[in-house]
Amino acid sequence: MNQPIGHMNPSKRTALVFGLSWLLFWTLMVCVAIQDYLRDHGQHLWQPVLWETSSLLTGTALLLLQRHFTRSHDALLATPWRWFARQALWLPMYWVAFVPLAFGMRHGVYALAGQVYQHEPWLDTFVYESLKISVFVGLLIVIRFGVLSYRELLEEKLRVEQSNSLLRQAQLQRLTQQMQPHFLFNALNTISSLMHSDVERADATLIELADVLRTTLELGELHEAPLATEIRLARAYARVMAERYRDRVAIDWRIDDSALACAVPVISVQPLLENIFKHTVERRSERTNIVISASCRAGSLLVRLDDDSGTLAGDEEPGIGLRNVRARIAFLHGAGATLELSQLLPAGVRAEMRLPCAC
């Protein structure tokens, strides 16, 4: 399958661009030679084409030979003088080889055509062509240094991006895995408490916990999941906790259907609900009313968890669940997403998570 130029790795893209530029340059040289030849009233167009193509073939062969044996010197690009010194060592090859190869081709083709190729005496030809090829190769070496340096810059940028991506994936995986045992520990504590008071309720709660664990297993190695999956997990968790705090909590779910397909961090709604149980429901004997809502507004998913009894302590450190969700939101969306807690009046706390979503 052909690969678009924009998706090629820097090395292949550099070679392709350099090759096309080389062909365009020699096409221009052939055209100029033909124009000069016609201006001098020449009658055999193959002659200027031969002159330039023989230089093209010889120069290309010598350059490819030099590149083959100096490719390992690219590691010296960070110290330019050493790199240029290694390249300059190849100049004598051009002085010795260019004239015999290029002019040999010209003499051979002329002989096949029954003609004689005329040029300056060999010594003058060697001196002139050596000076010309030195300037030409010198310019190419400078251009090659610039191209290779730019390619190294692109490759280094790519390596940094890949390294950052792998680090980000590893950090996200660690944070996600951190939440699973934390949630399981709290759920088992709930069941343990019920075992001493109501075995049937404990058994029913175990069934609810199985549904929660089944949902978490379905998420696998994912870092994000549809809101519908998160709501399913949160509902299962809420049923588990409702068994423990029967008659002390009421939950109202207000989830817009348009928001269900939006992606949210895995295990992100449940920790916010757990935060309400830990800091509000557990500390009160009266009933706590919780409203969980989700809707799309202006390209953003807005998830809110409100309770009517909690108090936001300004000096209290956020729990592991809240810190974890905030960290994963930052990794996934940066400044494009927020998770804030705010005090409601006359009482209650709101947890509001805002995420980008094409809804």
Side-chain angles (χ1 to χ4, degrees), residues 175-193:
L175 289 168
T176 301
Q177 290 173 347
Q178 181 187 57
M179 288 307 298
Q180 292 167 349
H182 177 69
F183 161 74
L184 182 59
F185 174 78
N186 285 309
L188 289 176
N189 268 347
T190 299
I191 296 170
S192 176
S193 299

Side-chain angles (χ1 to χ4, degrees), residues 244-260:
R244 180 175 181 179
Y245 300 104
R246 180 174 289 187
D247 301 326
R248 289 171 56 186
V249 64
I251 302 178
D252 183 14
W253 301 84
R254 302 176 185 177
I255 311 299
D256 289 352
D257 291 341
S258 60
L260 292 176

